């Protein structure tokens, strides 16, 4: 292999580094005009009237569209793409007409010649609101007499869902030596891709065709939702293009109301309409993440073996259901509660709750970080209560490496793993024993360092389609690829996945170049335009390598198969007499008798001398639907110092050992791990979306929402083990979310470990200096244990 | 709205335009001059995606009015290199200091300003200097390594 496994530098970097990337807001079309949105300042209110006269008279204004206008245009509510048996689906309008349910909800769209004119005029739209009682807190939303958001969802319950064997769990708890209990919150987060969402909608009155340029992780999903479900137009009339996309982390998976409103405005005006979100709009309107309240209990025997796990979770869905929101706190969360451990009995019950807050959906990791945080916090609390070393307790409970494929009690079958090896490597790298001794010594000096472990598992490359369909997905989760060979032997690869920073153009080129024995420069990767790529599902849940690249492998194999038959015909031998090496088909044992890939490509298009009955041309499409998920895993260790006088936490070390199977490009893996870890640290120490009791978002800009910044972070030390996945041809597992999943519990466990001498057992995230300082205020350190 | 004449030198080219007094430098660069390498990531001057050099000093071009640049010199990412990559840009590629590329022009320009002021910064100094630039993809590690790499390369070139 010339390229796979090598730290090949990225093809995409040149354009980004020289300012020649093309992001949606960089696009300009002839006659383009600009939109601004009028948004609700109330979390819950009735709309009595929307008066647009003053705005319509403002300079440059071309149109003002209200909810009434969109209803007359036949625009339908936003769709939900994952169903659960008890799910209540309140209609989420593109533009609110009668009632608003969260701050930032769109009430009108103003279109003007310039952006400044549109924003000026938006201030002139007069909306007559009748404020209604709002509820932002889940427990208050579930309390009797709480204000109800939707008549179709009594008591604000979106769904109830459970998984596992409740009776088996009861039996496990009955025979337990010890039961460990923990209540915890997994706070609400905002994805915060640095490129705000942006869209440019165009309509061609002559053909009735629409084009939507938009910040999307999955253009075909956007097309299907906007065409078939929202606007009610044939899919072939809508082309969706996602050019360079500046990060997504989940927030750009979903169709959004603004996009549909822009398409309608473009149709009405016959001119292209652009909008780029202000950061304040991103805070209010991008799908948010996490937001759980959980009560968990773990039963253990006298040797520290886990007998059972019981979990009760409230999941805040926000005011409406975003596209995949129902899947996140259910199938992406409850099914991962076994962690890396052999737990004989698990039962989890989840209640989804509507509140007057922005809708949540999948944010980096989606459900898996919530599960990992829960199980890894419980492991640490259990170790403390049993007086055991937290690494030893984990080791004692690991699923052994010879037990794969391993079925958990919560529906999944883990594909492959060697958890002890990753733990050992991480402990060795961090110097665990010496650190524990140093911790002891420092405590005597009144200094408090903490060591935190997280042994994470993640499920990604979610498939096969048949299984996810049985669980409620309203989509298949395969991926596609088209490999098109030009007559010169250069190769274009069209993929249904979408890169928003991961480096697909490089990694996929490596795969194709190796399989075809060609130089990297001869391969071009094309993505992001529904007019060019085959139907595909896009990028999320770390599916691009395990599912997307596997589809590419299958398409390349088809191309090679046809090329081999052409070569055999030209060389007058049987196809099986040929071996393919370094871009040449060679007759076995006859070194001089060969045809290059380029010669075959040319012959395929000349079509002067092909096997009888063979079609000309050299291209192939493949759809790959894996037989199972892939399950990357690893151990991360955080080392922190907590300063009791101020409550500040300083990260001293961070060690990550990840196993994502074979690595296509270690440089890209390193980048994904480092970035992911820092997002996880963000949840542990800095980030939180805070609403007041009236549903006002108090953290609505970077002035209030603390993001991880360079000075507060340590260098991340990393290493890998390799346990190939048996479910795809490359033996790869996804790595995009791993760091985020692992880092939050690793850092939280480290901080709690540092605070143990003060008798503090648990604090909720984020672990801000103020929170720690308040917890320490009345406490003196007790004797070191 | 009234318009004010300005004269600005951007990446070595002299421009004369009439702009609204409220026009921000970033919008002037992006929309009037078509230099879309300079990005807008926030409303509050926290993210640094719009960082450019104004008379040699790093500024966030979303907090500077275009009229304030009248008579001054602006350097944007498009003007950093003419043939191939500047050593800072090379460093970012070498050390994987970028992923989605959106914050990258601002990071590169901030790094350029840093290395003008401190040709041999420590890791801590680099991290401190980058406090005004947000990146959500890289965890900053590749960026820090890239700037160290560039500092060494530039020092070696200066010594040649």
């Amino acid at each position: 292999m010339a390229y796979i496994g090598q730290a090949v530098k990225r093809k995409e970097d040149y354009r980004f580094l020289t300012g020649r990337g093309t992001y949606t807001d960089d696009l300009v079309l002839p006659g383009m005009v600009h939109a601004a949105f009028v948004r609700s300042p109330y979390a819950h209110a009735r709309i009595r009237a929307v008066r647009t006269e003053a705005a319509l008279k403002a300079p440059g204004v071309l149109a003002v569209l209200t909810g009434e206008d969109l209803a007359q245009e036949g625009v339908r509510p936003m769709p939900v793409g994952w169903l659960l048996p008890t799910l209540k689906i309140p209609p989420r309008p593109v533009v609110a007409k009668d009632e608003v349910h969260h701050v930032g909800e769109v009430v009108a769209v103003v279109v003007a010649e310039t952006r400044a004119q549109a924003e000026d005029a938006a201030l002139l739209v007069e909306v007559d609101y009748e404020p209604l009682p709002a509820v932002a807190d889940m427990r208050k939303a579930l309390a009797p007499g709480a204000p109800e958001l939707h008549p179709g969802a009594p008591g604000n319950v979106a769904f109830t869902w459970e998984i596992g064997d409740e009776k088996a769990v009861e039996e496990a708890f009955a025979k337990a030596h010890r039961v460990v209990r923990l209540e915890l919150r997994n706070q609400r987060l905002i994805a915060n891709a640095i490129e705000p969402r942006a869209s440019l909608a165009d309509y061609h009155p002559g053909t009735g065709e629409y084009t939507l340029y938009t910040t999307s992780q999955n253009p075909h999903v956007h097309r299907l939702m906007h065409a078939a479900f929202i606007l009610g137009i044939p899919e072939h009339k809508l082309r969706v293009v996602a050019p360079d996309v500046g990060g997504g982390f989940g927030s750009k998976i979903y169709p959004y109301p603004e996009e549909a409103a822009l398409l309608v405005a473009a149709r009405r005006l016959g001119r292209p309409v652009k909008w780029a979100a202000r950061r304040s709009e991103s805070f209010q309107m991008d799908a948010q993440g996490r937001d759980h309240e959980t009560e968990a209990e773990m039963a253990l025997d006298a040797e520290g073996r886990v007998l059972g796990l019981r979990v009760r979770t409230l999941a805040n869905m926000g005011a409406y259901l975003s596209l995949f929101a129902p899947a996140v706190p259910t199938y992406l969360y409850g099914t991962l509660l076994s962690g890396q451990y052999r737990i004989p009995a698990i039962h989890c019950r989840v209640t989804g709750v509507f509140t007057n807050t922005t809708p949540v959906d999948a944010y980096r990791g989606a459900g898996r970080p919530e599960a990992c945080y829960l199980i890894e916090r419980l492991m640490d609390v259990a170790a403390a209560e049993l007086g055991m070393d937290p690494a030893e307790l984990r080791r004692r409970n690991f699923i052994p490496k010879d037990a794969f494929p391993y079925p958990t009690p919560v529906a999944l079958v883990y594909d492959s793993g060697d958890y002890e090896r990753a733990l050992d490597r991480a402990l060795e790298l961090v110097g665990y024993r010496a650190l524990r001794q140093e911790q002891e010594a420092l405590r005597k000096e009144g200094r408090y360092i903490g060591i935190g472990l997280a042994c994470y598992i993640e499920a990604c490359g979610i498939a096969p389609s048949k299984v996810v369909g049985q669980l409620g997905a309203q989509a298949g989760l395969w991926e596609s690829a088209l490999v098109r060979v030009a007559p010169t032997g250069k190769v274009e690869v069209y993929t249904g996945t979408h890169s928003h920073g991961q480096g697909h153009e490089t990694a996929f080129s490596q795969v194709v170049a190796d399989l075809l024995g060609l130089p990297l420069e001869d391969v071009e990767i094309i993505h992001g335009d529904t007019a060019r790529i085959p139907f595909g599902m896009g990028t999320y849940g770390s599916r691009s390598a395990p599912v997307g690249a596997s589809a590419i492998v299958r398409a390349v194999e088809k191309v090679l198969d046809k090329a081999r038959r052409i070569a055999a015909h030209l060389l007058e031998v049987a196809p099986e007499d040929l071996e393919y090496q370094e871009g040449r088909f060679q007759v076995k044992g006859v070194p001089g008798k060969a045809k290059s890939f380029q010669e075959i490509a040319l012959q395929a298009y000349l079509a002067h001398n092909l096997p009888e009955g063979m079609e000309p041309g050299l291209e192939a499409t493949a759809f790959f639907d894996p037989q199972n998920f892939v399950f990357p895993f690893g151990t991360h260790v955080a080392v922190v110092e907590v300063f009791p006088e101020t409550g500040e936490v300083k990260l001293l070390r961070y060690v990550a050992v990840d196993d994502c199977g074979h690595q296509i490009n270690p440089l890209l893996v390193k980048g994904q791990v480092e970035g992911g870890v820092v997002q996880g640290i963000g949840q542990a120490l800095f980030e939180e979306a805070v609403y007041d009791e009236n549903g006002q978002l108090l953290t609505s800009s970077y002035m209030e929402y603390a993001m991880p910044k360079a000075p507060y972070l340590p260098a991340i030390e990393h290493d890998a083990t390799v346990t190939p996945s048996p479910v795809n041809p490359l033996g790869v597992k996804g790595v995009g979310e791993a760091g985020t999943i692992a880092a939050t519990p690793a850092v939280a466990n480290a901080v709690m470990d540092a605070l143990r001498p003060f008798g503090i057992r648990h604090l909720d995230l984020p672990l801000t200096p103020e929170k720690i300082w308040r917890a320490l205020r009345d406490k003196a350190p007790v004797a070191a244990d | 709205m009234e318009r004010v004449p300005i004269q600005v030198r951007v990446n070595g080219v002299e421009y004369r335009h009439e702009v609204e007094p409220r026009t921000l430098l970033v919008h002037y660069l992006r929309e009037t001059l078509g230099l879309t390498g300079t990005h807008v990531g926030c409303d509050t001057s926290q993210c640094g995606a719009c960082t450019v050099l104004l008379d040699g000093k790093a500024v966030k071009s979303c907090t500077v009015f275009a009229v304030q640049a009248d008579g001054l010199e602006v350097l944007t990412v498009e003007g950093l290199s003419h043939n191939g990559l500047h050593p800072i840009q090379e460093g970012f590629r070498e050390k994987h200091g970028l992923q989605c590329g959106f914050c990258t022009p601002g990071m590169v320009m901030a790094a350029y300003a840093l290395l003008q002021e401190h040709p041999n910064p420590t890791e801590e100094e680099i991290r401190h200097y980058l406090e005004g630039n947000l990146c959500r993809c890289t965890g900053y590690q590749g960026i820090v390594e890239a700037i160290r790499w560039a500092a060494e390369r530039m020092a070696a070139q200066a010594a040649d």
Side-chain angles (χ1 to χ4, degrees):
Chain A
M1 293 287 180
Y3 296 111
I4 294 177
Q6 304 299 314
V8 174
K9 287 195 279 291
R10 298 202 318 171
K11 287 178 147 188
E12 25 301 71
D13 287 354
Y14 189 85
R15 67 177 188 270
F16 294 149
L17 283 165
T18 55
R20 268 76 174 187
T22 305
Y23 300 88
T24 301
D25 192 30
D26 300 340
L27 297 170
V28 176
L29 293 180
M32 186 174 85
V33 295
H34 299 264
F37 289 92
V38 178
R39 296 176 184 279
S40 171
Y42 291 101
H44 196 189
R46 193 162 291 128
I47 300 171
R48 288 213 196 97
V50 182
R51 283 185 282 278
T52 60
E53 299 80 8
L56 280 165
K57 286 182 202 146
V61 171
L62 300 163
V64 180
L65 302 181
T66 63
E68 191 63 52
D69 294 317
L70 266 74
Q72 282 173 11
E73 296 270 357
V75 175
R76 302 170 197 167
M78 303 298 293
V80 175
W82 195 294
L83 305 183
L84 303 170
T86 63
L87 191 66
K88 307 287 188 290
I89 305 180
R92 180 187 189 186
V94 167
V95 176
K97 187 160 73 74
D98 306 312
E99 214 170 294
V100 286
H101 293 97
H102 67 89
V103 168
E105 194 169 350
V106 175
V107 179
V109 53
V110 179
V111 185
E113 294 286 349
T114 71
R115 179 171 180 162
Q117 287 171 336
E119 291 182 348
D120 285 347
L123 298 172
L124 301 174
V125 175
E126 294 170 43
V127 185
D128 188 358
Y129 293 103
E130 178 191 341
L132 298 170
V135 61
D137 178 276
M138 282 191 281
R139 292 188 191 278
K140 287 182 183 163
L142 292 175
E148 283 194 357
L149 273 74
H150 306 290
N156 297 317
V157 174
F159 63 83
T160 54
W161 176 89
E162 61 184 314
I163 194 165
D165 187 338
E166 192 168 16
K167 193 159 170 289
V169 169
E170 275 170 28
E171 287 164 11
F173 276 79
K175 64 181 179 193
H177 167 73
R178 184 183 282 269
V179 172
V180 176
R181 293 189 171 82
L182 191 60
E183 284 183 29
L184 48 76
R185 289 186 65 240
N186 202 296
Q187 84 271 32
R188 185 180 283 230
L189 301 176
I190 297 174
N192 271 311
I194 302 299
E195 179 205 24
R197 280 194 299 118
S199 303
L200 168 57
D202 193 15
Y203 176 73
H204 193 298
T207 60
E209 286 173 349
Y210 303 76
T211 305
L212 178 67
Y213 302 88
T214 196
T215 47
S216 170
Q217 295 178 218
N218 42 9
H220 269 295
V221 173
H222 272 78
R223 176 165 107 149
L224 176 65
M225 296 303 148
H226 283 300
F229 290 92
I230 301 170
L231 298 184
I233 57 172
E235 273 180 271
H236 58 255
K237 292 293 187 193
L238 174 60
R239 172 185 171 202
V240 176
V241 185
D244 289 327
V245 173
F249 315 112
S251 67
K252 293 171 182 170
I253 297 173
Y254 325 108
Y256 281 96
E258 291 94 346
E259 296 160 344
L262 294 173
L263 286 165
V264 173
R267 179 171 68 198
R268 278 233 179 159
L269 294 167
R271 292 176 72 176
V273 185
K274 182 155 95 176
W275 163 76
R278 299 231 172 244
R279 181 59 55 179
S280 50
E281 292 181 287
S282 304
F283 272 95
Q284 292 183 348
M285 197 64 173
D286 291 6
Q288 301 180 354
R290 319 274 195 263
D291 208 347
H292 285 194
E293 287 187 27
T294 295
E295 295 171 19
E297 296 174 288
M298 186 186 261
L300 298 110
D301 71 12
E303 280 77 49
R305 288 191 182 80
V306 181
L307 302 173
L309 176 65
R310 181 186 286 142
V311 177
R312 301 287 176 260
T313 292
L314 298 181
N316 194 344
M317 308 308 290
Y320 302 101
L321 297 170
S322 176
L323 187 70
F324 291 129
V328 179
T330 54
Y331 286 104
L332 298 180
Y333 165 69
T335 55
L336 262 293
L337 286 168
S338 199
Q340 295 190 354
Y341 311 109
R342 196 201 284 273
I343 303 178
I346 300 175
H347 183 254
C348 170
R349 182 175 291 136
V350 182
T351 305
V353 186
F354 287 118
T355 62
N356 294 109
T357 59
T358 299
V360 299
D361 208 317
Y363 163 61
R364 201 169 189 171
R368 284 87 73 167
E370 295 90 315
C372 183
Y373 176 63
L374 170 73
I375 189 85
E376 290 303 291
R377 276 298 296 135
L378 267 177
M379 275 290 167
D380 260 36
V381 171
E385 292 188 9
L386 290 163
M388 278 179 73
D389 181 278
E392 176 53 30
L393 181 67
R394 286 174 170 84
R395 193 188 299 280
R396 199 167 285 190
N397 282 285
F398 278 155
I399 297 159
K401 67 177 176 186
D402 56 6
F404 294 90
Y406 174 82
T408 73
V410 275
L412 299 181
V413 181
Y414 293 170
D415 62 338
S416 62
D418 186 348
Y419 303 145
E420 201 157 4
R421 189 153 62 113
L423 173 71
D424 286 342
R425 183 72 190 117
L427 296 182
E428 181 190 336
L429 264 178
V430 82
Y432 188 65
R433 280 184 189 287
L435 263 179
R436 283 286 177 211
Q437 286 164 5
E438 188 186 344
Q439 180 180 40
E440 274 307 307
L442 285 173
R443 275 183 192 167
K444 291 182 183 128
E445 298 171 21
R447 288 182 59 192
Y448 300 94
I449 68 164
I451 308 156
L453 295 177
C455 299
Y456 74 94
I457 186 158
E458 112 115 309
C460 51
I462 294 175
S465 301
K466 183 179 171 183
V467 171
V468 295
Q470 287 162 358
L471 304 183
Q474 301 298 293
L477 286 174
W478 42 264
E479 196 44 83
S480 68
L482 162 62
V483 172
R484 176 175 292 156
V485 182
T488 55
K490 309 292 188 214
V491 182
E492 291 168 307
V493 180
Y494 299 79
T495 170
T497 68
H498 187 278
S499 175
H500 39 286
Q502 299 91 334
H504 292 175
E505 290 165 42
T506 306
F508 292 170
S509 294
Q510 290 175 250
V511 171
V512 174
D514 267 5
L515 292 175
L516 292 177
L518 300 176
L520 202 65
E521 301 71 48
D522 284 5
V523 182
E524 189 71 22
I525 306 296
I526 295 128
H527 64 91
D529 181 348
T530 60
R532 301 179 76 191
I533 59 171
F535 282 109
M537 301 307 295
T539 290
Y540 41 83
S542 293
R543 66 194 303 276
S544 293
V547 192
S550 296
I552 292 173
V553 171
R554 292 289 183 246
V556 170
E557 285 169 354
K558 288 187 190 179
V559 163
L560 266 182
D561 182 59
K562 182 170 181 181
R564 177 185 298 273
R565 284 185 285 131
I566 296 170
H569 175 73
L570 296 173
L571 292 163
E572 296 179 329
V573 295
E576 46 285 7
D577 292 336
L578 293 174
E579 54 191 4
Y580 188 66
Q581 278 179 345
E582 291 168 16
R584 294 163 69 83
F585 288 101
Q586 187 176 297
V587 180
K588 288 176 192 165
V590 191
K593 213 173 169 192
K595 289 280 175 194
S596 71
F597 185 75
Q598 291 79 6
E599 288 175 87
I600 302 300
L602 184 61
Q603 290 305 322
Y605 288 97
L606 288 175
H608 295 166
N609 183 17
L610 293 179
E612 193 61 38
M614 179 183 274
E615 290 177 16
L618 192 55
E619 68 173 54
T621 301
F623 286 69
F624 181 74
D625 201 2
Q627 71 208 49
N628 193 2
F629 302 12
V630 288
F631 295 89
F633 63 89
T635 293
H636 288 203
V637 189
V639 186
V640 303
E641 178 164 5
V642 177
F643 301 94
E645 308 77 31
T646 59
E648 283 172 285
V649 174
K650 184 177 183 194
L651 277 156
L652 303 175
R653 300 267 310 272
Y654 195 96
V655 167
V657 175
D658 298 280
D659 192 320
C660 58
H662 289 309
Q663 298 186 3
I664 296 171
N665 184 332
L667 191 70
L668 303 185
V669 170
K670 168 175 148 51
Q672 290 292 307
V673 169
E674 289 170 358
V677 163
V678 166
Q679 277 189 27
I681 291 172
Q683 175 167 22
L685 297 181
F686 308 114
E687 299 181 39
E688 182 172 25
V690 181
Y691 288 86
D692 76 6
E693 58 184 15
N694 297 315
Q696 288 294 330
L697 180 61
L698 301 180
T699 48
S700 56
S701 80
Y702 289 142
M703 307 289 277
E704 303 94 15
Y705 187 94
M707 292 276 281
K709 293 180 179 179
Y712 315 130
L713 300 161
I716 292 151
E717 306 157 57
H718 43 90
D719 198 4
T721 60
V722 176
T723 312
S725 172
V727 305
N728 62 62
L730 293 162
V732 298
K733 304 180 178 187
V735 76
E737 302 159 307
T740 306
I741 295 170
T744 307
V747 173
N749 282 340
V751 174
M752 291 306 129
D753 186 49
L755 294 175
R756 270 180 71 198
F758 297 89
I760 294 169
R761 183 173 178 266
H762 178 78
L763 296 174
D764 277 324
L765 307 175
L767 298 164
T768 59
E770 185 195 347
K771 196 177 283 174
I772 292 170
W773 178 79
R774 282 183 188 281
L776 286 172
R777 213 162 31 158
D778 307 319
K779 293 193 169 73
V782 296
D785 46 5
Chain B
M1 193 173 282
E2 61 157 333
R3 298 174 85 83
V4 179
I6 58 167
Q7 182 178 347
V8 191
R9 195 173 174 83
V10 182
N11 301 334
V13 181
E14 199 79 29
Y15 295 94
R16 288 163 189 272
H17 284 102
E18 291 195 341
V19 298
E20 286 185 15
R22 67 176 174 180
T23 303
L24 296 170
L25 179 58
V26 65
H27 292 133
Y28 175 71
L29 293 171
R30 287 178 54 81
E31 286 148 33
T32 306
L33 303 187
L35 295 170
T36 54
T38 303
H39 295 150
V40 182
C42 72
D43 319 329
T44 50
S45 296
Q46 312 284 309
C47 82
C50 65
T51 304
V52 300
L53 269 73
L54 186 60
D55 267 9
K57 292 260 184 243
V59 298
K60 291 178 177 174
S61 60
C62 72
T63 47
V64 177
F65 291 114
V67 294
Q68 291 176 285
D70 184 28
L72 303 183
E73 189 141 357
V74 178
L75 182 67
T76 74
V77 71
E78 289 95 341
L80 197 56
S81 59
H82 297 288
N83 296 307
L85 297 176
H86 184 277
I88 294 173
Q89 292 165 318
E90 269 185 63
F92 272 70
R93 180 151 191 261
E94 191 71 30
K95 295 294 177 182
H96 196 28
L98 69 156
Q99 289 178 22
C100 78
F102 193 80
C103 77
T104 304
M107 286 286 181
V108 166
M109 297 315 288
Y112 182 83
L114 165 66
L115 294 180
Q116 298 291 309
E117 290 170 34
H118 305 282
N120 187 26
T122 63
E123 175 174 341
E124 200 180 341
E125 284 167 337
I126 295 170
R127 286 184 179 271
H128 177 71
Y129 198 90
L130 294 180
E131 184 162 10
N133 289 71
L134 290 177
C135 172
R136 192 62 154 168
C137 294
T138 63
Y140 306 102
Q141 187 154 333
I143 296 171
V144 173
E145 290 169 17
I147 296 172
R148 272 302 321 158
W149 188 95
E152 284 159 26
R153 176 61 59 95
M154 287 163 73
Q157 282 178 357
D160 283 346

